[in-house]
Amino acid sequence: GEAAARGLSRGSPARPLCTAPGPAGDMKRYLWERYREAKRSTEELVPSIMSNLLNPDAIFSNNEMSLSDIEIYGFDYDYTLVFYSKHLHTLIFNAARDLLINEHRYPVEIRKYEYDPNFAIRGLHYDVQRAVLMKIDAFHYIQLGTVYRGHSVVPDDEVIDMYEGSHVPLEQMSDFYGKSSHGNTMKQFMDIFSLPEMTLLSCVNEHFLKNNIDYEPVHLYKDVKDAIRDVHIKGIMYRAIEADIEKYICYAEQTRAVLAKLADHGKKMFLITNSPSSFVDKGMRYIVGKDWRDLFDVVIVQAEKPNFFNDKRRYFRLGHDVISVLFSLQGNLYEFLKLTGWRGSKVLYFGDHIYSDLADLTLKHGWRTGAIIPELRSELKIMNTEQYIQTMTWLQTLTGLLEQMQVHRDAESQQVLQEWKKERKEMREMTKSFFNAQFGSLFRTDQNPTYFLRRLSRFADIYMASLSCLLNYDVHHTFYPRRTPLQHELPAWSDSAALRAPLRQEAQAK
């Protein structure tokens, strides 16, 4: 990859700078010949890459893990066992927008804004005091070109001026659960349900900015957050889904098939969700069947995650009104562990929220964890297109070419290199827009992993687009993470011939 391109020259001893392998006037022609040679080699490489595409239904592993060791399977409910249609985000957006108008006395004109499913992606950070939404990489650097105030991108120079560079210090970043504490200004949106919240924040900011309405960004953030919370707490969302379950829930036989397969192999199963019992019961009857309770040993509703996983002080209550065992409201994980004895690496828990579902379980309790990332399937399909593969292969080759040829410091060569840099920048923008016009891929900034992926790698042993991916593996399958090359390793097995051939010659020319 791009890292491989960089690795080729990084291990080489420093060489004296030289100008050209011939008369100075030939330099431009020499560089463009190298460019065309690299381009041809890249084009020859694309068919072989196209014959080895990624499987959108695969399970990807961060840690080695054998399903033979797993005796107990746990599940979150929303976006794990059940998936919702696009209509749900529109419902949440509209209900929260109306709460802002009716209860927080916001201008009635904001009703003209409608939910745009293509605006935001998960994992973005929001600077509460500056009212800007942005994408941050694994090393706390802002990806320039992805900073939005309202619906407008903030120019790079303004971002750099605002943050005195493009790095966000650790103390300004939110903690594990995305809360702003100790005066932190950044909130990270990790939940799929947060997509309408980011979009609503941007719409209201846009309205105030366009109409020159003076406002306090911190209060706006809190009001939108409260409105979104009320859509859940006041039961607006639950009632709407229960009233029209076919509109909002994507019916999937796979959920039933996955649970039945695990039950057939004698696996124990439990469910932990923040949703109320009647809501879960109605949804599970729709997607699994009226006998869904028979598949689970324990069901925990209104769990108040993440507190459920880490708060030892809350007391415990059992009830028998929904199924054989129901933990409700006052339960906590420590009491659950005492009751069941289900601890350590024989438990595998699946959830979609990397912090409130998975972080404590892996850090404090040693459970194995599986992240459900619905966006993964659509991103992999994009990555399998010929246009993406062609663009990405050439982008990586061009980056390697730039790194190698920068030793030519004469004016003519530098002019060519500037043209290459311009092409590289345009291609980076194009690869971003393949995924999302504003923010690009959920998993990558230009060359680094996103902050979202960093946390995913830390807290999830395996990750997949949906639980249905489990149907492609038997219950004794061992997941092995791929060995990815480090910056100082020479990855001969993955490096492109297109990059190697000209660059080796360049090294000999010196």
Side-chain angles (χ1 to χ4, degrees):
E2 201 165 321
R6 292 196 299 271
L8 281 171
S9 66
R10 205 161 271 172
S12 316
R15 297 188 295 267
L17 299 182
C18 64
T19 49
D26 291 344
M27 207 57 233
K28 188 179 283 191
R29 189 175 69 224
Y30 167 75
L31 289 174
W32 282 113
E33 279 173 6
R34 304 308 307 277
Y35 175 95
R36 286 189 290 273
E37 186 185 333
K39 193 105 177 190
R40 278 194 301 274
S41 300
T42 303
E43 286 164 3
E44 288 166 10
L45 194 70
V46 168
S48 66
I49 300 173
M50 288 294 297
S51 66
N52 189 25
L53 298 177
L54 297 156
N55 179 7
D57 295 315
I59 293 176
F60 302 90
S61 59
N62 293 316
N63 291 312
E64 188 171 321
M65 183 183 78
S66 176
L67 293 181
S68 296
D69 300 330
I70 306 300
E71 297 171 18
I72 303 113
Y73 285 75
F75 305 92
D76 179 31
Y77 177 67
D78 295 306
Y79 288 107
T80 300
L81 288 171
V82 63
F83 281 79
Y84 295 105
S85 72
K86 59 185 180 183
H87 301 296
L88 182 60
H89 286 171
T90 303
L91 168 80
I92 294 170
F93 178 92
N94 290 346
R97 180 196 61 200
D98 291 348
L99 284 170
L100 285 179
I101 294 167
N102 298 331
E103 298 192 8
H104 296 270
R105 303 179 71 179
Y106 273 62
V108 72
E109 289 82 9
I110 66 169
R111 195 167 271 129
K112 71 181 180 197
Y113 291 99
E114 295 181 354
Y115 180 64
D116 177 5
N118 301 312
F119 177 69
I121 60 170
R122 259 203 302 169
L124 299 178
H125 281 78
Y126 183 74
D127 188 322
V128 173
Q129 292 170 333
R130 295 185 176 100
V132 289
L133 191 63
M134 70 190 77
K135 187 173 167 191
I136 294 180
D137 75 10
F139 307 101
H140 297 192
Y141 282 93
I142 299 163
Q143 182 177 359
L144 296 175
T146 69
V147 182
Y148 276 76
R149 186 183 286 117
H151 293 156
S152 301
V153 68
V154 180
D156 293 353
D157 54 354
E158 192 180 329
V159 175
I160 289 164
D161 188 48
M162 220 186 318
Y163 292 97
E164 297 178 350
S166 60
H167 185 265
V168 180
L170 178 64
E171 61 269 15
Q172 286 183 30
M173 301 286 279
S174 55
D175 62 19
F176 275 177
Y177 304 113
K179 296 169 187 160
S180 292
S181 52
H182 312 296
N184 293 346
T185 59
M186 291 286 185
K187 151 80 181 173
Q188 190 183 15
F189 292 103
M190 296 294 275
D191 191 345
I192 299 175
F193 282 130
S194 65
L195 291 168
E197 184 174 354
M198 287 185 269
T199 308
L200 185 57
L201 267 171
S202 299
C203 287
V204 181
N205 273 314
E206 176 74 6
H207 180 75
F208 287 167
L209 291 165
K210 264 192 168 176
N211 293 281
N212 296 316
I213 298 170
D214 195 28
Y215 69 106
E216 173 51 61
V218 175
H219 292 156
L220 167 61
Y221 166 73
K222 287 178 179 171
D223 289 343
V224 170
K225 181 179 157 193
D226 289 348
I228 293 282
R229 184 200 63 204
D230 285 349
V231 173
H232 291 76
I233 287 180
K234 292 183 175 179
I236 298 168
M237 184 185 87
Y238 300 130
R239 285 193 298 274
I241 293 171
E242 287 187 52
D244 197 350
I245 211 156
E246 292 183 11
K247 178 179 179 181
Y248 292 109
I249 291 183
C250 299
Y251 180 69
E253 288 179 15
Q254 291 97 321
T255 300
R256 169 86 197 193
V258 169
L259 297 174
K261 177 181 176 179
L262 296 174
D264 289 345
H265 285 87
K267 304 298 182 183
K268 295 185 183 303
M269 286 184 280
F270 65 93
L271 169 60
I272 303 178
T273 175
N274 289 350
S275 296
S277 56
S278 62
F279 174 73
V280 174
D281 183 52
K282 193 155 188 180
M284 289 297 279
R285 280 170 178 267
Y286 179 68
I287 59 170
V288 176
K290 60 184 178 185
D291 61 340
W292 72 272
R293 300 171 187 176
D294 299 338
L295 293 166
F296 290 89
D297 295 81
V298 179
V299 172
I300 304 168
V301 295
Q302 293 180 291
E304 295 183 22
K305 295 180 294 180
N307 293 337
F308 179 87
F309 293 133
N310 59 33
D311 191 346
K312 293 181 182 179
R313 295 164 299 173
R314 298 164 72 233
Y315 64 91
F316 185 77
R317 185 178 78 191
L318 281 176
H320 299 276
D321 55 326
V322 176
I323 61 162
S324 53
V325 183
L326 170 71
F327 299 73
S328 178
L329 293 174
Q330 283 81 24
N332 67 35
L333 186 66
Y334 297 88
E335 296 293 341
F336 169 69
L337 295 175
K338 276 188 213 170
L339 187 85
T340 61
W342 295 344
R343 59 182 68 250
S345 56
K346 63 184 178 182
V347 183
L348 172 57
Y349 184 77
F350 292 95
D352 71 291
H353 197 301
I354 295 163
Y355 297 158
S356 64
D357 281 325
L358 309 180
D360 282 316
L361 296 177
T362 186
L363 290 174
K364 297 181 181 179
H365 304 288
W367 288 9
R368 307 311 294 264
T369 51
I372 304 298
I373 313 291
E375 300 95 333
L376 186 61
R377 186 172 277 119
S378 56
E379 290 220 5
L380 286 172
K381 285 177 179 174
I382 291 165
M383 291 165 69
N384 282 341
T385 61
E386 188 169 358
Q387 188 187 13
Y388 178 84
I389 289 168
Q390 282 176 338
T391 306
M392 212 62 208
T393 310
W394 174 236
L395 178 59
Q396 289 170 228
T397 305
L398 184 61
T399 301
L401 205 56
L402 266 166
E403 183 170 33
Q404 291 290 319
M405 297 303 176
Q406 66 182 326
V407 296
H408 302 298
R409 301 292 181 191
D410 59 284
E412 204 171 45
S413 298
Q414 287 298 308
Q415 188 184 345
V416 174
L417 292 173
Q418 285 305 316
E419 287 187 52
W420 292 358
K421 283 180 183 177
K422 184 171 177 282
E423 181 184 355
R424 179 174 179 256
K425 187 178 180 184
E426 288 167 358
M427 288 175 71
R428 280 182 152 189
E429 193 61 34
M430 188 161 75
T431 53
K432 185 185 92 172
S433 65
F434 283 148
F435 300 100
N436 174 283
Q438 292 74 235
F439 302 102
S441 166
L442 177 62
F443 306 101
R444 266 204 181 277
T445 56
D446 285 326
Q447 70 277 346
N448 291 331
T450 55
Y451 194 84
F452 178 91
L453 185 69
R454 179 184 177 184
R455 310 319 281 166
L456 174 66
S457 305
R458 178 69 183 89
F459 299 132
D461 292 297
I462 56 175
Y463 63 100
M464 67 209 77
S466 71
L467 280 178
S468 63
C469 299
L470 280 170
L471 296 171
N472 301 322
Y473 302 82
D474 69 45
V475 293
H476 303 291
H477 187 87
T478 299
F479 295 101
Y480 296 98
R482 269 181 287 178
R483 182 183 172 91
T484 52
L486 304 175
Q487 294 290 318
H488 61 274
E489 292 177 329
L490 181 64
W493 62 89
S494 67
D495 190 25
S496 79
L499 195 55
R500 274 205 311 275
L503 300 190
R504 278 218 187 101
Q505 293 162 14
E506 182 69 15
Q508 289 161 3
K510 300 286 183 293

